[in-house]
PDB file of all heavy atoms in Angstrom:
ATOM      1  N   ARG A  10    -143.066 -55.953 -22.247  1.00  0.00           N
ATOM      2  CA  ARG A  10    -142.522 -55.380 -20.995  1.00  0.00           C
ATOM      3  C   ARG A  10    -141.047 -55.737 -20.890  1.00  0.00           C
ATOM      4  O   ARG A  10    -140.717 -56.907 -21.062  1.00  0.00           O
ATOM      5  CB  ARG A  10    -143.251 -55.941 -19.773  1.00  0.00           C
ATOM      6  CG  ARG A  10    -142.890 -55.268 -18.450  1.00  0.00           C
ATOM      7  CD  ARG A  10    -143.773 -55.806 -17.357  1.00  0.00           C
ATOM      8  NE  ARG A  10    -143.435 -55.093 -16.110  1.00  0.00           N
ATOM      9  CZ  ARG A  10    -143.977 -53.998 -15.800  1.00  0.00           C
ATOM     10  NH1 ARG A  10    -144.828 -53.401 -16.528  1.00  0.00           N
ATOM     11  NH2 ARG A  10    -143.540 -53.514 -14.625  1.00  0.00           N
ATOM     12  N   PRO A  11    -140.194 -54.790 -20.703  1.00  0.00           N
ATOM     13  CA  PRO A  11    -138.779 -55.057 -20.629  1.00  0.00           C
ATOM     14  C   PRO A  11    -138.492 -55.918 -19.315  1.00  0.00           C
ATOM     15  O   PRO A  11    -139.129 -55.735 -18.338  1.00  0.00           O
ATOM     16  CB  PRO A  11    -138.081 -53.705 -20.485  1.00  0.00           C
ATOM     17  CG  PRO A  11    -139.216 -52.749 -20.011  1.00  0.00           C
ATOM     18  CD  PRO A  11    -140.525 -53.304 -20.599  1.00  0.00           C
ATOM     19  N   GLN A  12    -137.494 -56.742 -19.468  1.00  0.00           N
ATOM     20  CA  GLN A  12    -137.176 -57.707 -18.339  1.00  0.00           C
ATOM     21  C   GLN A  12    -136.461 -56.922 -17.258  1.00  0.00           C
ATOM     22  O   GLN A  12    -136.473 -57.443 -16.106  1.00  0.00           O
ATOM     23  CB  GLN A  12    -136.295 -58.810 -18.857  1.00  0.00           C
ATOM     24  CG  GLN A  12    -136.973 -59.794 -19.782  1.00  0.00           C
ATOM     25  CD  GLN A  12    -136.131 -60.944 -20.240  1.00  0.00           C
ATOM     26  OE1 GLN A  12    -134.929 -60.895 -20.087  1.00  0.00           O
ATOM     27  NE2 GLN A  12    -136.808 -61.930 -20.856  1.00  0.00           N
ATOM     28  N   ALA A  13    -135.942 -55.750 -17.530  1.00  0.00           N
ATOM     29  CA  ALA A  13    -135.166 -54.970 -16.508  1.00  0.00           C
ATOM     30  C   ALA A  13    -135.545 -53.527 -16.731  1.00  0.00           C
ATOM     31  O   ALA A  13    -135.809 -53.073 -17.867  1.00  0.00           O
ATOM     32  CB  ALA A  13    -133.684 -55.210 -16.546  1.00  0.00           C
ATOM     33  N   LEU A  14    -135.505 -52.800 -15.651  1.00  0.00           N
ATOM     34  CA  LEU A  14    -135.745 -51.321 -15.777  1.00  0.00           C
ATOM     35  C   LEU A  14    -134.428 -50.799 -16.364  1.00  0.00           C
ATOM     36  O   LEU A  14    -133.330 -51.015 -15.904  1.00  0.00           O
ATOM     37  CB  LEU A  14    -135.979 -50.738 -14.379  1.00  0.00           C
ATOM     38  CG  LEU A  14    -136.279 -49.196 -14.409  1.00  0.00           C
ATOM     39  CD1 LEU A  14    -137.703 -49.030 -14.912  1.00  0.00           C
ATOM     40  CD2 LEU A  14    -136.116 -48.620 -13.015  1.00  0.00           C
ATOM     41  N   GLN A  15    -134.444 -50.006 -17.457  1.00  0.00           N
ATOM     42  CA  GLN A  15    -133.309 -49.503 -18.147  1.00  0.00           C
ATOM     43  C   GLN A  15    -133.108 -48.085 -17.677  1.00  0.00           C
ATOM     44  O   GLN A  15    -133.850 -47.136 -18.000  1.00  0.00           O
ATOM     45  CB  GLN A  15    -133.529 -49.606 -19.684  1.00  0.00           C
ATOM     46  CG  GLN A  15    -133.722 -51.101 -20.106  1.00  0.00           C
ATOM     47  CD  GLN A  15    -134.081 -51.228 -21.507  1.00  0.00           C
ATOM     48  OE1 GLN A  15    -135.139 -50.643 -21.990  1.00  0.00           O
ATOM     49  NE2 GLN A  15    -133.393 -51.936 -22.299  1.00  0.00           N
ATOM     50  N   VAL A  16    -131.951 -47.872 -17.081  1.00  0.00           N
ATOM     51  CA  VAL A  16    -131.652 -46.560 -16.474  1.00  0.00           C
ATOM     52  C   VAL A  16    -130.374 -46.014 -17.069  1.00  0.00           C
ATOM     53  O   VAL A  16    -129.325 -46.714 -17.120  1.00  0.00           O
ATOM     54  CB  VAL A  16    -131.463 -46.631 -14.913  1.00  0.00           C
ATOM     55  CG1 VAL A  16    -131.146 -45.296 -14.314  1.00  0.00           C
ATOM     56  CG2 VAL A  16    -132.799 -47.197 -14.303  1.00  0.00           C
ATOM     57  N   PHE A  17    -130.325 -44.768 -17.459  1.00  0.00           N
ATOM     58  CA  PHE A  17    -129.185 -44.094 -17.992  1.00  0.00           C
ATOM     59  C   PHE A  17    -128.503 -43.316 -16.883  1.00  0.00           C
ATOM     60  O   PHE A  17    -129.083 -42.590 -16.112  1.00  0.00           O
ATOM     61  CB  PHE A  17    -129.550 -43.156 -19.184  1.00  0.00           C
ATOM     62  CG  PHE A  17    -129.803 -43.875 -20.494  1.00  0.00           C
ATOM     63  CD1 PHE A  17    -131.005 -44.082 -20.913  1.00  0.00           C
ATOM     64  CD2 PHE A  17    -128.695 -44.337 -21.205  1.00  0.00           C
ATOM     65  CE1 PHE A  17    -131.268 -44.757 -22.110  1.00  0.00           C
ATOM     66  CE2 PHE A  17    -128.844 -44.970 -22.438  1.00  0.00           C
ATOM     67  CZ  PHE A  17    -130.244 -45.181 -22.877  1.00  0.00           C
ATOM     68  N   LEU A  18    -127.136 -43.450 -16.857  1.00  0.00           N
ATOM     69  CA  LEU A  18    -126.226 -42.699 -15.953  1.00  0.00           C
ATOM     70  C   LEU A  18    -125.167 -42.111 -16.801  1.00  0.00           C
ATOM     71  O   LEU A  18    -124.988 -42.361 -17.991  1.00  0.00           O
ATOM     72  CB  LEU A  18    -125.658 -43.631 -14.911  1.00  0.00           C
ATOM     73  CG  LEU A  18    -126.612 -44.395 -13.990  1.00  0.00           C
ATOM     74  CD1 LEU A  18    -125.759 -45.334 -13.124  1.00  0.00           C
ATOM     75  CD2 LEU A  18    -127.457 -43.463 -13.151  1.00  0.00           C
ATOM     76  N   GLU A  19    -124.252 -41.322 -16.149  1.00  0.00           N
ATOM     77  CA  GLU A  19    -123.168 -40.729 -16.828  1.00  0.00           C
ATOM     78  C   GLU A  19    -122.044 -41.777 -17.028  1.00  0.00           C
ATOM     79  O   GLU A  19    -121.168 -41.559 -17.912  1.00  0.00           O
ATOM     80  CB  GLU A  19    -122.597 -39.503 -16.126  1.00  0.00           C
ATOM     81  CG  GLU A  19    -123.600 -38.291 -16.152  1.00  0.00           C
ATOM     82  CD  GLU A  19    -123.053 -37.140 -15.330  1.00  0.00           C
ATOM     83  OE1 GLU A  19    -122.641 -37.361 -14.221  1.00  0.00           O
ATOM     84  OE2 GLU A  19    -123.103 -36.054 -15.847  1.00  0.00           O
ATOM     85  N   ALA A  20    -122.038 -42.746 -16.240  1.00  0.00           N
ATOM     86  CA  ALA A  20    -121.095 -43.819 -16.320  1.00  0.00           C
ATOM     87  C   ALA A  20    -121.760 -45.233 -16.017  1.00  0.00           C
ATOM     88  O   ALA A  20    -122.712 -45.246 -15.356  1.00  0.00           O
ATOM     89  CB  ALA A  20    -119.862 -43.589 -15.390  1.00  0.00           C
ATOM     90  N   VAL A  21    -121.128 -46.270 -16.530  1.00  0.00           N
ATOM     91  CA  VAL A  21    -121.745 -47.586 -16.315  1.00  0.00           C
ATOM     92  C   VAL A  21    -121.603 -47.972 -14.907  1.00  0.00           C
ATOM     93  O   VAL A  21    -120.669 -47.714 -14.154  1.00  0.00           O
ATOM     94  CB  VAL A  21    -120.941 -48.583 -17.191  1.00  0.00           C
ATOM     95  CG1 VAL A  21    -121.446 -50.079 -16.923  1.00  0.00           C
ATOM     96  CG2 VAL A  21    -121.123 -48.336 -18.728  1.00  0.00           C
ATOM     97  N   ARG A  22    -122.622 -48.662 -14.378  1.00  0.00           N
ATOM     98  CA  ARG A  22    -122.708 -49.150 -13.050  1.00  0.00           C
ATOM     99  C   ARG A  22    -123.196 -50.620 -13.161  1.00  0.00           C
ATOM    100  O   ARG A  22    -123.918 -51.026 -14.063  1.00  0.00           O
ATOM    101  CB  ARG A  22    -123.681 -48.313 -12.215  1.00  0.00           C
ATOM    102  CG  ARG A  22    -123.901 -48.770 -10.836  1.00  0.00           C
ATOM    103  CD  ARG A  22    -124.957 -47.896 -10.076  1.00  0.00           C
ATOM    104  NE  ARG A  22    -125.222 -48.536  -8.711  1.00  0.00           N
ATOM    105  CZ  ARG A  22    -124.560 -48.266  -7.701  1.00  0.00           C
ATOM    106  NH1 ARG A  22    -123.466 -47.433  -7.698  1.00  0.00           N
ATOM    107  NH2 ARG A  22    -124.926 -48.751  -6.508  1.00  0.00           N
ATOM    108  N   ARG A  23    -122.723 -51.474 -12.215  1.00  0.00           N
ATOM    109  CA  ARG A  23    -123.178 -52.844 -12.190  1.00  0.00           C
ATOM    110  C   ARG A  23    -124.708 -52.932 -12.083  1.00  0.00           C
ATOM    111  O   ARG A  23    -125.328 -52.097 -11.349  1.00  0.00           O
ATOM    112  CB  ARG A  23    -122.560 -53.517 -10.979  1.00  0.00           C
ATOM    113  CG  ARG A  23    -121.067 -53.761 -11.097  1.00  0.00           C
ATOM    114  CD  ARG A  23    -120.462 -54.348  -9.826  1.00  0.00           C
ATOM    115  NE  ARG A  23    -121.031 -55.635  -9.467  1.00  0.00           N
ATOM    116  CZ  ARG A  23    -120.484 -56.828 -10.029  1.00  0.00           C
ATOM    117  NH1 ARG A  23    -119.462 -56.723 -10.781  1.00  0.00           N
ATOM    118  NH2 ARG A  23    -121.059 -57.927  -9.656  1.00  0.00           N
ATOM    119  N   PRO A  24    -125.294 -53.900 -12.770  1.00  0.00           N
ATOM    120  CA  PRO A  24    -126.713 -54.054 -12.631  1.00  0.00           C
ATOM    121  C   PRO A  24    -127.165 -54.473 -11.241  1.00  0.00           C
ATOM    122  O   PRO A  24    -126.372 -54.933 -10.424  1.00  0.00           O
ATOM    123  CB  PRO A  24    -127.019 -55.190 -13.628  1.00  0.00           C
ATOM    124  CG  PRO A  24    -125.791 -55.981 -13.734  1.00  0.00           C
ATOM    125  CD  PRO A  24    -124.623 -54.901 -13.609  1.00  0.00           C
ATOM    126  N   ILE A  25    -128.500 -54.145 -10.987  1.00  0.00           N
ATOM    127  CA  ILE A  25    -129.008 -54.499  -9.699  1.00  0.00           C
ATOM    128  C   ILE A  25    -129.900 -55.744  -9.874  1.00  0.00           C
ATOM    129  O   ILE A  25    -130.691 -55.791 -10.797  1.00  0.00           O
ATOM    130  CB  ILE A  25    -129.906 -53.352  -9.143  1.00  0.00           C
ATOM    131  CG1 ILE A  25    -128.981 -52.203  -8.618  1.00  0.00           C
ATOM    132  CG2 ILE A  25    -130.829 -53.777  -7.966  1.00  0.00           C
ATOM    133  CD1 ILE A  25    -129.711 -51.000  -8.118  1.00  0.00           C
ATOM    134  N   VAL A  26    -129.708 -56.748  -8.913  1.00  0.00           N
ATOM    135  CA  VAL A  26    -130.530 -57.874  -8.961  1.00  0.00           C
ATOM    136  C   VAL A  26    -131.093 -57.975  -7.476  1.00  0.00           C
ATOM    137  O   VAL A  26    -130.267 -58.076  -6.502  1.00  0.00           O
ATOM    138  CB  VAL A  26    -129.763 -59.161  -9.287  1.00  0.00           C
ATOM    139  CG1 VAL A  26    -130.730 -60.387  -9.177  1.00  0.00           C
ATOM    140  CG2 VAL A  26    -129.226 -59.138 -10.729  1.00  0.00           C
ATOM    141  N   CYS A  27    -132.431 -57.871  -7.369  1.00  0.00           N
ATOM    142  CA  CYS A  27    -133.006 -57.792  -5.995  1.00  0.00           C
ATOM    143  C   CYS A  27    -134.246 -58.658  -6.104  1.00  0.00           C
ATOM    144  O   CYS A  27    -135.319 -58.208  -6.665  1.00  0.00           O
ATOM    145  CB  CYS A  27    -133.375 -56.429  -5.668  1.00  0.00           C
ATOM    146  SG  CYS A  27    -134.067 -56.197  -4.072  1.00  0.00           S
ATOM    147  N   GLY A  28    -134.226 -59.900  -5.590  1.00  0.00           N
ATOM    148  CA  GLY A  28    -135.324 -60.819  -5.820  1.00  0.00           C
ATOM    149  C   GLY A  28    -135.572 -61.033  -7.253  1.00  0.00           C
ATOM    150  O   GLY A  28    -134.638 -61.402  -8.058  1.00  0.00           O
ATOM    151  N   ARG A  29    -136.753 -60.826  -7.723  1.00  0.00           N
ATOM    152  CA  ARG A  29    -137.120 -60.892  -9.167  1.00  0.00           C
ATOM    153  C   ARG A  29    -136.963 -59.565  -9.920  1.00  0.00           C
ATOM    154  O   ARG A  29    -137.206 -59.543 -11.156  1.00  0.00           O
ATOM    155  CB  ARG A  29    -138.512 -61.488  -9.329  1.00  0.00           C
ATOM    156  CG  ARG A  29    -138.655 -62.892  -8.887  1.00  0.00           C
ATOM    157  CD  ARG A  29    -140.118 -63.363  -8.770  1.00  0.00           C
ATOM    158  NE  ARG A  29    -140.910 -63.025  -9.996  1.00  0.00           N
ATOM    159  CZ  ARG A  29    -142.188 -62.939 -10.078  1.00  0.00           C
ATOM    160  NH1 ARG A  29    -142.901 -63.130  -8.940  1.00  0.00           N
ATOM    161  NH2 ARG A  29    -142.835 -62.723 -11.228  1.00  0.00           N
ATOM    162  N   VAL A  30    -136.499 -58.576  -9.233  1.00  0.00           N
ATOM    163  CA  VAL A  30    -136.321 -57.253  -9.849  1.00  0.00           C
ATOM    164  C   VAL A  30    -134.945 -57.130 -10.481  1.00  0.00           C
ATOM    165  O   VAL A  30    -134.018 -57.517  -9.875  1.00  0.00           O
ATOM    166  CB  VAL A  30    -136.490 -56.195  -8.739  1.00  0.00           C
ATOM    167  CG1 VAL A  30    -136.002 -54.786  -9.166  1.00  0.00           C
ATOM    168  CG2 VAL A  30    -137.961 -56.074  -8.351  1.00  0.00           C
ATOM    169  N   ARG A  31    -134.924 -56.550 -11.658  1.00  0.00           N
ATOM    170  CA  ARG A  31    -133.721 -56.279 -12.339  1.00  0.00           C
ATOM    171  C   ARG A  31    -133.589 -54.753 -12.767  1.00  0.00           C
ATOM    172  O   ARG A  31    -134.482 -54.296 -13.299  1.00  0.00           O
ATOM    173  CB  ARG A  31    -133.548 -57.202 -13.635  1.00  0.00           C
ATOM    174  CG  ARG A  31    -133.688 -58.697 -13.355  1.00  0.00           C
ATOM    175  CD  ARG A  31    -132.525 -59.213 -12.616  1.00  0.00           C
ATOM    176  NE  ARG A  31    -132.495 -60.630 -12.416  1.00  0.00           N
ATOM    177  CZ  ARG A  31    -133.075 -61.268 -11.474  1.00  0.00           C
ATOM    178  NH1 ARG A  31    -133.659 -60.529 -10.440  1.00  0.00           N
ATOM    179  NH2 ARG A  31    -133.056 -62.642 -11.319  1.00  0.00           N
ATOM    180  N   VAL A  32    -132.360 -54.257 -12.654  1.00  0.00           N
ATOM    181  CA  VAL A  32    -132.149 -52.902 -13.115  1.00  0.00           C
ATOM    182  C   VAL A  32    -130.828 -52.928 -13.938  1.00  0.00           C
ATOM    183  O   VAL A  32    -129.861 -53.372 -13.541  1.00  0.00           O
ATOM    184  CB  VAL A  32    -132.007 -51.822 -11.987  1.00  0.00           C
ATOM    185  CG1 VAL A  32    -131.781 -50.413 -12.499  1.00  0.00           C
ATOM    186  CG2 VAL A  32    -133.170 -51.916 -11.042  1.00  0.00           C
ATOM    187  N   MET A  33    -130.954 -52.430 -15.201  1.00  0.00           N
ATOM    188  CA  MET A  33    -129.804 -52.380 -16.151  1.00  0.00           C
ATOM    189  C   MET A  33    -129.453 -50.915 -16.275  1.00  0.00           C
ATOM    190  O   MET A  33    -130.313 -49.933 -16.515  1.00  0.00           O
ATOM    191  CB  MET A  33    -130.184 -52.899 -17.498  1.00  0.00           C
ATOM    192  CG  MET A  33    -129.149 -52.718 -18.625  1.00  0.00           C
ATOM    193  SD  MET A  33    -129.817 -52.884 -20.228  1.00  0.00           S
ATOM    194  CE  MET A  33    -130.373 -54.562 -20.155  1.00  0.00           C
ATOM    195  N   PHE A  34    -128.098 -50.621 -16.068  1.00  0.00           N
ATOM    196  CA  PHE A  34    -127.579 -49.267 -16.248  1.00  0.00           C
ATOM    197  C   PHE A  34    -126.831 -49.131 -17.489  1.00  0.00           C
ATOM    198  O   PHE A  34    -125.998 -49.981 -17.810  1.00  0.00           O
ATOM    199  CB  PHE A  34    -126.702 -48.899 -15.021  1.00  0.00           C
ATOM    200  CG  PHE A  34    -127.407 -48.946 -13.650  1.00  0.00           C
ATOM    201  CD1 PHE A  34    -127.333 -49.904 -12.817  1.00  0.00           C
ATOM    202  CD2 PHE A  34    -128.192 -47.850 -13.349  1.00  0.00           C
ATOM    203  CE1 PHE A  34    -127.954 -49.856 -11.601  1.00  0.00           C
ATOM    204  CE2 PHE A  34    -128.857 -47.716 -12.159  1.00  0.00           C
ATOM    205  CZ  PHE A  34    -128.813 -48.867 -11.248  1.00  0.00           C
ATOM    206  N   LEU A  35    -127.078 -48.003 -18.176  1.00  0.00           N
ATOM    207  CA  LEU A  35    -126.400 -47.771 -19.431  1.00  0.00           C
ATOM    208  C   LEU A  35    -125.704 -46.361 -19.335  1.00  0.00           C
ATOM    209  O   LEU A  35    -126.301 -45.473 -18.668  1.00  0.00           O
ATOM    210  CB  LEU A  35    -127.265 -47.773 -20.645  1.00  0.00           C
ATOM    211  CG  LEU A  35    -128.075 -49.039 -20.833  1.00  0.00           C
ATOM    212  CD1 LEU A  35    -129.490 -48.887 -20.290  1.00  0.00           C
ATOM    213  CD2 LEU A  35    -128.112 -49.420 -22.284  1.00  0.00           C
ATOM    214  N   ALA A  36    -124.632 -46.203 -19.990  1.00  0.00           N
ATOM    215  CA  ALA A  36    -123.844 -44.887 -19.919  1.00  0.00           C
ATOM    216  C   ALA A  36    -124.349 -43.999 -21.140  1.00  0.00           C
ATOM    217  O   ALA A  36    -124.582 -44.496 -22.185  1.00  0.00           O
ATOM    218  CB  ALA A  36    -122.382 -45.083 -20.010  1.00  0.00           C
ATOM    219  N   ARG A  37    -124.625 -42.790 -20.767  1.00  0.00           N
ATOM    220  CA  ARG A  37    -125.130 -41.790 -21.815  1.00  0.00           C
ATOM    221  C   ARG A  37    -124.257 -40.535 -21.795  1.00  0.00           C
ATOM    222  O   ARG A  37    -124.237 -39.821 -20.727  1.00  0.00           O
ATOM    223  CB  ARG A  37    -126.552 -41.497 -21.499  1.00  0.00           C
ATOM    224  CG  ARG A  37    -127.255 -40.490 -22.477  1.00  0.00           C
ATOM    225  CD  ARG A  37    -127.364 -41.092 -23.843  1.00  0.00           C
ATOM    226  NE  ARG A  37    -128.377 -40.489 -24.592  1.00  0.00           N
ATOM    227  CZ  ARG A  37    -128.259 -39.444 -25.429  1.00  0.00           C
ATOM    228  NH1 ARG A  37    -127.080 -38.827 -25.524  1.00  0.00           N
ATOM    229  NH2 ARG A  37    -129.236 -38.973 -26.166  1.00  0.00           N
ATOM    230  N   LYS A  38    -123.689 -40.254 -22.870  1.00  0.00           N
ATOM    231  CA  LYS A  38    -122.945 -39.002 -23.010  1.00  0.00           C
ATOM    232  C   LYS A  38    -123.972 -37.838 -23.079  1.00  0.00           C
ATOM    233  O   LYS A  38    -125.096 -38.053 -23.534  1.00  0.00           O
ATOM    234  CB  LYS A  38    -122.113 -38.925 -24.282  1.00  0.00           C
ATOM    235  CG  LYS A  38    -120.915 -39.992 -24.289  1.00  0.00           C
ATOM    236  CD  LYS A  38    -120.116 -39.849 -25.610  1.00  0.00           C
ATOM    237  CE  LYS A  38    -118.902 -40.708 -25.596  1.00  0.00           C
ATOM    238  NZ  LYS A  38    -118.178 -40.648 -26.798  1.00  0.00           N
ATOM    239  N   ARG A  39    -123.568 -36.718 -22.564  1.00  0.00           N
ATOM    240  CA  ARG A  39    -124.416 -35.493 -22.477  1.00  0.00           C
ATOM    241  C   ARG A  39    -125.782 -35.743 -21.834  1.00  0.00           C
ATOM    242  O   ARG A  39    -126.814 -35.321 -22.281  1.00  0.00           O
ATOM    243  CB  ARG A  39    -124.686 -34.978 -23.932  1.00  0.00           C
ATOM    244  CG  ARG A  39    -123.436 -34.602 -24.688  1.00  0.00           C
ATOM    245  CD  ARG A  39    -123.717 -33.868 -25.979  1.00  0.00           C
ATOM    246  NE  ARG A  39    -124.404 -32.614 -25.698  1.00  0.00           N
ATOM    247  CZ  ARG A  39    -125.037 -31.951 -26.659  1.00  0.00           C
ATOM    248  NH1 ARG A  39    -125.128 -32.369 -27.943  1.00  0.00           N
ATOM    249  NH2 ARG A  39    -125.624 -30.729 -26.337  1.00  0.00           N
ATOM    250  N   LEU A  40    -125.606 -36.517 -20.819  1.00  0.00           N
ATOM    251  CA  LEU A  40    -126.879 -36.886 -19.991  1.00  0.00           C
ATOM    252  C   LEU A  40    -127.711 -35.663 -19.602  1.00  0.00           C
ATOM    253  O   LEU A  40    -128.887 -35.754 -19.725  1.00  0.00           O
ATOM    254  CB  LEU A  40    -126.439 -37.724 -18.740  1.00  0.00           C
ATOM    255  CG  LEU A  40    -127.598 -38.224 -17.903  1.00  0.00           C
ATOM    256  CD1 LEU A  40    -128.074 -39.602 -18.506  1.00  0.00           C
ATOM    257  CD2 LEU A  40    -127.169 -38.458 -16.516  1.00  0.00           C
ATOM    258  N   HIS A  41    -127.053 -34.637 -19.210  1.00  0.00           N
ATOM    259  CA  HIS A  41    -127.847 -33.417 -18.765  1.00  0.00           C
ATOM    260  C   HIS A  41    -128.568 -32.713 -19.834  1.00  0.00           C
ATOM    261  O   HIS A  41    -129.408 -31.965 -19.615  1.00  0.00           O
ATOM    262  CB  HIS A  41    -126.819 -32.471 -18.062  1.00  0.00           C
ATOM    263  CG  HIS A  41    -126.353 -32.919 -16.737  1.00  0.00           C
ATOM    264  ND1 HIS A  41    -127.079 -32.845 -15.614  1.00  0.00           N
ATOM    265  CD2 HIS A  41    -125.180 -33.405 -16.394  1.00  0.00           C
ATOM    266  CE1 HIS A  41    -126.334 -33.287 -14.556  1.00  0.00           C
ATOM    267  NE2 HIS A  41    -125.171 -33.672 -14.961  1.00  0.00           N
ATOM    268  N   ALA A  42    -128.173 -32.995 -21.123  1.00  0.00           N
ATOM    269  CA  ALA A  42    -128.796 -32.347 -22.196  1.00  0.00           C
ATOM    270  C   ALA A  42    -130.032 -33.093 -22.722  1.00  0.00           C
ATOM    271  O   ALA A  42    -130.799 -32.582 -23.570  1.00  0.00           O
ATOM    272  CB  ALA A  42    -127.827 -32.193 -23.389  1.00  0.00           C
ATOM    273  N   VAL A  43    -130.278 -34.307 -22.214  1.00  0.00           N
ATOM    274  CA  VAL A  43    -131.402 -35.059 -22.707  1.00  0.00           C
ATOM    275  C   VAL A  43    -132.636 -34.638 -22.072  1.00  0.00           C
ATOM    276  O   VAL A  43    -132.754 -34.554 -20.849  1.00  0.00           O
ATOM    277  CB  VAL A  43    -131.138 -36.613 -22.420  1.00  0.00           C
ATOM    278  CG1 VAL A  43    -132.337 -37.461 -22.800  1.00  0.00           C
ATOM    279  CG2 VAL A  43    -129.883 -37.080 -23.080  1.00  0.00           C
ATOM    280  N   PRO A  44    -133.676 -34.316 -22.872  1.00  0.00           N
ATOM    281  CA  PRO A  44    -135.019 -33.901 -22.280  1.00  0.00           C
ATOM    282  C   PRO A  44    -135.654 -34.992 -21.469  1.00  0.00           C
ATOM    283  O   PRO A  44    -135.734 -36.130 -21.969  1.00  0.00           O
ATOM    284  CB  PRO A  44    -135.818 -33.498 -23.474  1.00  0.00           C
ATOM    285  CG  PRO A  44    -134.793 -33.220 -24.583  1.00  0.00           C
ATOM    286  CD  PRO A  44    -133.657 -34.131 -24.305  1.00  0.00           C
ATOM    287  N   VAL A  45    -136.030 -34.708 -20.275  1.00  0.00           N
ATOM    288  CA  VAL A  45    -136.748 -35.723 -19.414  1.00  0.00           C
ATOM    289  C   VAL A  45    -138.018 -35.160 -18.811  1.00  0.00           C
ATOM    290  O   VAL A  45    -138.253 -33.842 -18.866  1.00  0.00           O
ATOM    291  CB  VAL A  45    -135.773 -36.130 -18.274  1.00  0.00           C
ATOM    292  CG1 VAL A  45    -134.506 -36.837 -18.899  1.00  0.00           C
ATOM    293  CG2 VAL A  45    -135.396 -34.975 -17.432  1.00  0.00           C
ATOM    294  N   GLN A  46    -138.886 -35.935 -18.306  1.00  0.00           N
ATOM    295  CA  GLN A  46    -139.990 -35.525 -17.599  1.00  0.00           C
ATOM    296  C   GLN A  46    -140.152 -36.388 -16.320  1.00  0.00           C
ATOM    297  O   GLN A  46    -139.553 -37.409 -16.206  1.00  0.00           O
ATOM    298  CB  GLN A  46    -141.239 -35.639 -18.476  1.00  0.00           C
ATOM    299  CG  GLN A  46    -141.614 -37.072 -18.945  1.00  0.00           C
ATOM    300  CD  GLN A  46    -142.674 -37.146 -19.911  1.00  0.00           C
ATOM    301  OE1 GLN A  46    -142.478 -36.814 -21.090  1.00  0.00           O
ATOM    302  NE2 GLN A  46    -143.947 -37.511 -19.429  1.00  0.00           N
ATOM    303  N   THR A  47    -141.094 -35.913 -15.426  1.00  0.00           N
ATOM    304  CA  THR A  47    -141.283 -36.714 -14.197  1.00  0.00           C
ATOM    305  C   THR A  47    -142.632 -37.412 -14.259  1.00  0.00           C
ATOM    306  O   THR A  47    -143.622 -36.760 -14.678  1.00  0.00           O
ATOM    307  CB  THR A  47    -141.313 -35.766 -13.014  1.00  0.00           C
ATOM    308  OG1 THR A  47    -140.011 -35.074 -12.924  1.00  0.00           O
ATOM    309  CG2 THR A  47    -141.542 -36.493 -11.685  1.00  0.00           C
ATOM    310  N   VAL A  48    -142.677 -38.620 -13.883  1.00  0.00           N
ATOM    311  CA  VAL A  48    -143.900 -39.376 -13.760  1.00  0.00           C
ATOM    312  C   VAL A  48    -144.047 -39.786 -12.296  1.00  0.00           C
ATOM    313  O   VAL A  48    -143.111 -39.946 -11.594  1.00  0.00           O
ATOM    314  CB  VAL A  48    -143.982 -40.644 -14.641  1.00  0.00           C
ATOM    315  CG1 VAL A  48    -143.953 -40.189 -16.158  1.00  0.00           C
ATOM    316  CG2 VAL A  48    -142.845 -41.565 -14.352  1.00  0.00           C
ATOM    317  N   ASN A  49    -145.318 -39.903 -11.877  1.00  0.00           N
ATOM    318  CA  ASN A  49    -145.510 -40.327 -10.395  1.00  0.00           C
ATOM    319  C   ASN A  49    -145.592 -41.777 -10.314  1.00  0.00           C
ATOM    320  O   ASN A  49    -146.084 -42.575 -11.064  1.00  0.00           O
ATOM    321  CB  ASN A  49    -146.874 -39.709  -9.976  1.00  0.00           C
ATOM    322  CG  ASN A  49    -146.770 -38.228  -9.915  1.00  0.00           C
ATOM    323  OD1 ASN A  49    -145.790 -37.572  -9.580  1.00  0.00           O
ATOM    324  ND2 ASN A  49    -147.877 -37.517 -10.270  1.00  0.00           N
ATOM    325  N   THR A  50    -144.944 -42.191  -9.117  1.00  0.00           N
ATOM    326  CA  THR A  50    -145.112 -43.707  -8.693  1.00  0.00           C
ATOM    327  C   THR A  50    -145.614 -43.577  -7.279  1.00  0.00           C
ATOM    328  O   THR A  50    -145.726 -42.522  -6.679  1.00  0.00           O
ATOM    329  CB  THR A  50    -143.670 -44.318  -8.666  1.00  0.00           C
ATOM    330  OG1 THR A  50    -143.003 -43.910  -7.560  1.00  0.00           O
ATOM    331  CG2 THR A  50    -142.882 -43.974  -9.957  1.00  0.00           C
TER     332      THR A  50
END
């Protein structure tokens, strides 16, 4: 299990630290061209 949720954006953003929750942001070129799908939470 990754220690942080890994999220791609078009540009880098500061990570989120909220209690024991961590979110890591990474920059991805051509973000709109990357195939994605939706999962339910």
